[in-house]
Amino acid sequence: MTALNEVADLSAEGEIAVLTLNSPPVNALSAPVRDGLAEGFKRAIADPAVKAIVLICAGRTFIAGADISEFGKAPKGASLYDVQAVMEGSPKPIVAAIHGTALGGGLEVALTAHYRVAVPSAKCGLPEVNLGLLPGAGGTQRLPRIVGPEKALDMMTSGAHVPAKAAAAMGLVDDLAEEGELREAAVAFARKILAENRPLKKVRDLNDKVEAARGKPEIFADFRKANARKFRGFLAPEYNIQCVEAAVNLPFDEGLKVERKLFLELMTGVQSAAQRYAFFAERQANKIPDVPEDTPLIPIAKVGVIGAGTMGGGISMNFLNAGVPVRIVETQQAALDRGLATIRKNYENTAKKGRLTEDEVEKRMGLLSGSLNLEDLADCDLIIEAVFENMDIKKDVFGKLDKIAKQGTILASNTSYLNVDEIAAATSRPESVIGLHFFSPANVMRLLEIVRGEATSKPVIATSMKLAKTIGKVGVLVGVCPGFVGNRMLSQRQREANKLILEGAMPWDVDRVLYDFGFPMGPFAMSDLAGLDIGWSKEKSSSSTIREVLCEMDRRGQKTGAGFYDYDENRAAKPSPITEQTIKDFAAKSGVNQRTISDEEILERCVYPMINEGAKILEEGKAIRASDIDTVWINGYGWPVYRGGPMFYGDTVGLDKVLAKMKQFQAEMGDDFKPSALLEKLVAEGKGFKDL
Ligand code: 3H9
């Protein structure tokens, strides 16, 4: 074996050279990896004893892509294009041996090899779109040549990781190896190619599939139309589509030119910067400065959930999906039955769409049990309370759990704004108490706000962070304060939205501005969906807010066919003249002179106070870092990832501009806009949140 550099070596299996990369954690294409590849291929090609070359990776995965942390820095070492030129010019067949994931630049390297062998557990994908990019090393031109433009469009715009068997079915993988025997299988495959004297298969020369799609622009028009909603606001999906169009309509090298031009444009743009930031922010959130990585974890073999409502049911499904048994406790048989039946119905609906088999449905349901007795949670390792948001009720539940749960059990509350320390004080073991704030629908939304109480122990925190990963969530650790990070900032936006409609903007104006900014829905459409009457009661209603007045008119949202908007029979929303008049009357009665409000003001008043509140959260140490706040907003509140989260956005706009506006609004409208000390400080120092 010859070491080529610190991450690559070359060895021989008879006449087959094996080039091995070993650059943990994911063999990303850093400068040393590219140098190792270039050198390894050159040496193997030059060695007369070598007849074929296998490229394989050590560790958990094949190359998982370009090294994202190098982006934006001065280029060093061999470029990926140099490596690919050597590979494509090779007179000897090159076989890529894939395990783990061959992603992005990794798959592009594999596509430049002549053949691909993979173990069944391997996955292949071009996920660049999720970083606001497109595959920039020929992937956009090679993939359609193997799998056809339709499948390439799907893969490139979704970033999906395609399992090896499916990849083999579409021709992307030439042969499947036994699990754990990849090296032997790839070497044997190389020998077979030599024995059969197979020609060198260069993907760039395969033209059948792209030619078949030529002169059929409807392929692209239909694809754009079908996905318009999903792609809204994002640049990268459209650029990926344009590259596939180029693959279909232009010769390979011309297509490559289109790819390079569009790749560069995306790479230097703010959307990709935001999406790459979000990628690292999500991973950074896992790192808790005072909870070391080797903190002992509490084994979680069984979970108890209190409350079989929408939230309790959704929470339970996360664990069932991960194969962890769940027991749900309710107070009434009817509520329990309803809760269990809803879970079954959800799974069956998924099965109807073909995304679960009947067996899988039964397996999950087999892990679920119900009870009317809290005592039945005695053997659970984690108990999550999802009952009504009322401190007295929560304290009562935790007081009881304290007597029932075995020692060491994690006692979690799903509260969305109550004081976790107060809840913990109802027990004799506050170190075991933590907040696990799931977002509705709890089986779908990726965010899990993990609320650390004053006494919460490190193993409880470490276990909760790990658990988030196990159930496919993004866990973000936050501190105790009203509404924690997400809802605390949301209340700033909500307050301004309510004030804006009193001052003269209409609900659909506010919604449109926020929708155009990239949120999936504005606050008033959201209110209509959730119901205006959450927390409202007819008896106590006193016409003191626009919302109350609408509820009194029985405009309680979509469910009553009217709320801020009017709804037709298909639940399509229309601006409502009744709401408009109601708001005008309310403003007149309140002595507010309505005025015309610009879209710019709507956006600034909804978003800048959120950024300011985020700064206060940081000041108070309720979030560890600005990027954690952004991770909360992207994964729990539909903040458009291409804008990187509120704190990243603040930096993009310029904190000096945000501060100046806050001061202007403060002078005009009062202390809702009082700038935080941190914001003032950062601006005085010429810094951004990124510098913290
Ligand atoms: C590209 O290829 C562009 C080309 O087309 C153009 C070339 C010209 N770079 O996610 P994990 C780190 S764009 C640098 O927790 P998992 C990650 O930050 C790229 N670092 O593990 C983390 O570090 P830390 C296209 C990377 O097992 C550690 O590895 N490729 C990269 O849950 C473990 O990551 C992609 O977009 C990278 N490319 O998942 C794939 N990837 O430990 C992006 C990971 O310090 N990666 N790291 O926090 C992934 O999707 C997942 O990491 C993967 C593993 C599925 C591979």
Side-chain angles (χ1 to χ4, degrees):
M1 190 177 80
T2 317
L4 299 163
N5 62 12
E6 67 274 29
V7 296
D9 65 60
L10 200 57
S11 58
E13 298 262 351
E15 55 192 9
I16 314 295
V18 179
L19 172 54
T20 308
L21 296 175
N22 187 5
S23 179
V26 297
N27 290 306
L29 290 159
S30 61
V33 169
R34 295 191 306 267
D35 285 343
L37 282 169
E39 181 61 20
F41 284 126
K42 278 183 197 157
R43 282 205 205 175
I45 291 166
D47 183 346
V50 170
K51 297 283 180 278
I53 308 159
V54 166
L55 168 64
I56 194 164
C57 292
R60 65 204 233 208
T61 179
F62 190 76
I63 305 164
D67 185 341
I68 311 167
S69 63
E70 272 187 1
F71 288 2
K73 297 183 186 153
K76 276 199 305 199
S79 79
L80 194 50
Y81 310 130
D82 296 338
V83 173
Q84 289 176 304
V86 176
M87 291 175 77
E88 231 161 26
S90 168
K92 305 172 182 177
I94 300 176
V95 178
I98 302 172
H99 76 296
T101 46
L103 299 177
L107 183 59
E108 293 176 292
V109 167
L111 281 168
T112 320
H114 303 97
Y115 297 94
R116 287 150 294 280
V117 175
V119 287
S121 60
K123 293 190 170 139
C124 297
L126 293 175
E128 284 87 344
V129 71
N130 296 326
L131 300 169
L133 292 172
L134 52 86
T140 68
Q141 304 306 297
R142 289 192 179 89
L143 187 68
R145 283 179 159 75
I146 289 200
V147 304
E150 287 93 345
K151 288 202 180 81
L153 284 171
D154 276 339
M155 277 180 71
M156 286 161 53
T157 59
S158 69
H161 299 182
V162 178
K165 278 187 189 157
M170 54 172 94
L172 187 52
V173 162
D174 298 284
D175 200 19
L176 289 171
E178 290 288 326
E179 216 63 66
E181 290 171 22
L182 182 60
R183 185 185 165 110
E184 298 78 350
V187 168
F189 185 83
R191 290 210 170 101
K192 191 166 120 188
I193 293 166
L194 294 174
E196 290 172 3
N197 220 350
R198 283 204 216 168
L200 290 180
K201 193 173 87 180
K202 285 192 202 170
V203 177
R204 63 182 291 142
D205 297 335
L206 306 174
N207 284 319
D208 306 5
K209 289 194 169 140
V210 286
E211 274 167 13
R214 208 163 286 165
K216 294 184 185 160
E218 64 278 10
I219 295 177
F220 300 98
D222 292 350
F223 188 77
R224 285 188 172 98
K225 205 166 147 212
N227 291 288
R229 219 183 140 80
K230 198 160 100 200
F231 297 161
R232 181 177 72 93
F234 288 91
L235 285 179
E238 170 57 27
Y239 281 34
N240 272 278
I241 298 172
Q242 288 179 21
C243 285
V244 181
E245 272 176 321
V248 165
N249 296 318
L250 301 174
F252 184 84
D253 287 314
E254 293 302 307
L256 271 189
K257 283 185 197 154
V258 172
E259 178 192 278
R260 295 224 169 132
K261 176 175 165 287
L262 295 180
F263 178 79
L264 257 182
E265 216 179 289
L266 288 176
M267 177 67 127
T268 48
V270 69
Q271 287 206 353
S272 176
Q275 288 178 259
R276 283 180 271 136
Y277 161 85
F279 175 87
F280 285 117
E282 191 178 312
R283 281 152 184 84
Q284 185 77 5
N286 275 317
K287 302 183 172 98
I288 315 299
D290 70 329
V291 180
E293 286 202 10
D294 58 359
T295 304
L297 298 177
I298 302 164
I300 306 291
K302 187 163 185 187
V303 174
V305 174
I306 307 174
T310 313
M311 216 53 209
I315 292 172
S316 303
M317 288 174 74
N318 288 307
F319 293 97
L320 301 175
N321 296 346
V324 182
V326 175
R327 173 158 294 163
I328 303 193
V329 172
E330 252 299 343
T331 49
Q332 305 292 328
Q333 187 68 47
L336 181 61
D337 291 346
R338 209 167 340 134
L340 298 180
T342 304
I343 294 179
R344 174 171 282 282
K345 205 176 90 208
N346 286 342
Y347 280 137
E348 279 172 357
N349 284 342
T350 311
K352 269 189 209 135
K353 290 181 200 143
R355 286 192 268 124
L356 271 186
T357 64
E358 277 307 324
D359 269 3
E360 286 165 333
V361 173
E362 293 314 320
K363 206 165 146 207
R364 287 173 163 95
M365 289 308 291
L367 293 171
L368 178 64
S369 60
S371 166
L372 298 177
N373 276 326
L374 273 184
E375 283 76 12
D376 288 338
L377 300 182
D379 61 341
C380 290
D381 307 297
L382 162 68
I383 302 176
I384 305 172
E385 160 280 309
V387 302
F388 194 65
E389 280 286 81
N390 172 299
M391 183 53 94
D392 291 336
I393 301 179
K394 304 237 179 213
K395 278 184 178 167
D396 179 57
V397 168
F398 276 77
K400 286 180 180 150
L401 284 181
D402 191 29
K403 301 202 173 64
I404 294 166
K406 63 179 180 181
Q407 272 312 311
T409 293
I410 300 179
L411 304 178
S413 171
N414 177 48
T415 181
S416 55
Y417 64 89
L418 294 175
N419 187 325
V420 172
D421 291 323
E422 207 179 323
I423 297 174
T427 72
S428 64
R429 39 173 139 167
E431 70 282 0
S432 294
V433 177
I434 197 161
L436 291 182
H437 180 205
F438 287 84
F439 288 71
S440 189
N443 53 322
V444 177
M445 296 296 289
R446 286 187 81 219
L447 178 64
L448 182 64
E449 260 185 341
I450 299 177
V451 191
R452 168 186 204 160
E454 245 166 56
T456 311
S457 76
K458 291 180 185 181
V460 168
I461 294 171
T463 305
S464 301
M465 296 299 297
K466 170 82 189 331
L467 207 61
K469 257 200 151 179
T470 308
I471 60 174
K473 304 273 180 224
V474 180
V476 180
L477 191 68
V478 302
V480 175
C481 56
F484 315 125
V485 166
N487 282 346
R488 176 168 164 181
M489 288 166 69
L490 179 67
S491 68
Q492 295 287 318
R493 191 183 84 176
Q494 194 59 45
R495 183 196 63 226
E496 287 312 305
N498 289 338
K499 279 159 62 182
L500 282 161
I501 62 170
L502 192 61
E503 291 167 31
M506 280 296 127
W508 32 94
D509 296 326
V510 175
D511 282 355
R512 174 181 42 79
V513 169
L514 291 173
Y515 180 82
D516 288 347
F517 183 75
F519 281 102
M521 159 182 301
F524 297 103
M526 191 65 182
S527 253
D528 274 4
L529 182 67
L532 271 64
D533 54 356
I534 295 179
W536 175 81
S537 82
K538 202 169 185 169
E539 298 70 40
K540 292 190 192 145
S541 192
S542 59
S543 313
S544 64
T545 61
I546 293 168
R547 186 177 70 102
E548 278 198 335
V549 175
L550 290 172
C551 283
E552 288 160 17
M553 296 162 71
D554 207 32
R555 298 182 65 93
R556 290 184 285 123
Q558 284 197 19
K559 60 185 171 191
T560 57
F564 285 102
Y565 294 81
D566 289 336
Y567 292 88
D568 65 17
E569 59 285 2
N570 301 320
R571 289 209 168 185
K574 277 195 318 270
S576 164
I578 302 176
T579 300
E580 182 160 354
Q581 194 55 50
T582 306
I583 294 174
K584 284 189 172 144
D585 294 346
F586 189 91
K589 197 181 82 185
S590 315
V592 176
N593 277 329
Q594 290 207 311
R595 63 188 168 94
T596 305
I597 298 181
S598 70
D599 287 358
E600 194 187 4
E601 180 177 341
I602 292 175
L603 186 66
E604 290 170 345
R605 280 185 53 191
C606 286
V607 173
Y608 291 0
M610 287 173 54
I611 299 169
N612 191 47
E613 195 65 24
K616 287 185 193 165
I617 287 170
L618 287 173
E619 238 166 66
E620 295 167 21
K622 302 299 179 190
I624 297 170
R625 26 181 119 72
S627 62
D628 286 3
I629 298 179
D630 288 332
T631 303
V632 163
W633 269 81
I634 289 168
N635 293 286
Y637 295 82
W639 181 283
V641 61
Y642 57 80
R643 292 192 199 273
M647 311 314 274
F648 182 92
Y649 180 69
D651 280 353
T652 314
V653 171
L655 293 189
D656 52 344
K657 188 169 165 224
V658 175
L659 178 64
K661 266 290 166 193
M662 289 297 287
K663 285 185 169 164
Q664 179 200 321
F665 290 149
Q666 186 187 21
E668 291 165 7
M669 290 171 270
D671 278 350
D672 284 347
F673 298 95
K674 189 173 187 304
S676 79
L678 178 61
L679 187 58
E680 300 256 24
K681 179 170 170 278
L682 286 174
V683 173
E685 292 170 357
K687 291 183 178 162
F689 294 117
K690 65 179 184 313
D691 303 310
L692 286 175

